[in-house]
Amino acid sequence: ASGISCSLYVSCGLGSDAFNLMTQGVSAALGIQVGNAFYIIQGAMLLAVFALRRQEIGVGTLFGTFLVGLVMNIWSLLLSPLLAAANFYVRFYCLLAAPVFTGVGVSLVKRSGLGLTPCDILALLLHDRLRGLQFRTVRILYDGAMFLAGTLLGGSAGIGTVLSVLLTGPCIQAASSLLDRIPDGRAQPQGS
């Protein structure tokens, strides 16, 4: 779902999400391709997670680190031609769907226990440190820091970038809250 979300941001042409803005900024600052900047950032984040709380790393962390870009490319091939021909309102409504996809995707992977991407794990670790704040607030601050870094490094922001900063955290928190109400199907111990 995160790959679909990223491809919606890119295909709408109204500004990428905060993480990809930071990737663009690193790419511009270092004079390297965006894909290489993506892997440098993901690798650095993975090392940070390994140093801070390696037990959070799972098979989903490794797959997510490398497969989100592939999923994003496939969906962009499908969505870009459709959205290029669409009017502003269609693109804007698609843009509003992007953080919802992120929220549902991150919440489902978190619930599976298979491991989130390093970017998402770092947001949760930050939330653990700032317990007085709700997750959505911490995620807005986290995405805002990526927005600022990307902009300062030369990335190109748009309304989609601002919406990603403001809506991703609340969508993850809302989706997690909804999923927490659904029994997970694991057998509960008898008695006690």
Side-chain angles (χ1 to χ4, degrees), residues 68-159:
V68 169
L70 175 64
V71 171
M72 182 180 166
N73 288 341
I74 291 169
W75 277 96
S76 291
L77 285 172
L78 298 170
L79 293 173
S80 290
L82 295 173
L83 291 174
N87 66 39
F88 172 81
Y89 296 104
V90 170
R91 290 184 294 133
F92 184 75
Y93 289 126
C94 286
L95 190 64
L96 290 176
V100 175
F101 275 107
T102 300
V104 171
V106 168
S107 298
L108 285 171
V109 174
K110 181 181 169 195
R111 186 175 171 105
S112 76
L114 296 175
L116 293 165
T117 64
C119 180
D120 294 319
I121 293 172
L122 288 174
L124 289 171
L125 294 178
L126 184 60
H127 178 247
D128 286 347
R129 302 267 181 186
L130 302 171
R131 274 294 182 193
L133 299 175
Q134 291 191 31
F135 175 78
R136 65 181 175 218
T137 305
V138 172
R139 184 64 191 237
I140 288 170
L141 295 171
Y142 179 74
D143 288 340
M146 287 190 285
F147 175 92
L148 183 61
T151 303
L152 291 174
L153 291 170
S156 178
I159 190 169

Side-chain angles (χ1 to χ4, degrees), residues 9 14-26 45 119 139-166:
Y9 283 114
L14 299 172
S16 65
D17 60 285
F19 180 83
N20 282 308
L21 174 69
M22 186 173 66
T23 302
Q24 291 171 12
V26 170
M45 288 181 161
C119 180
R139 184 64 191 237
I140 288 170
L141 295 171
Y142 179 74
D143 288 340
M146 287 190 285
F147 175 92
L148 183 61
T151 303
L152 291 174
L153 291 170
S156 178
I159 190 169
T161 318
V162 174
L163 289 175
S164 83
V165 170
L166 297 176

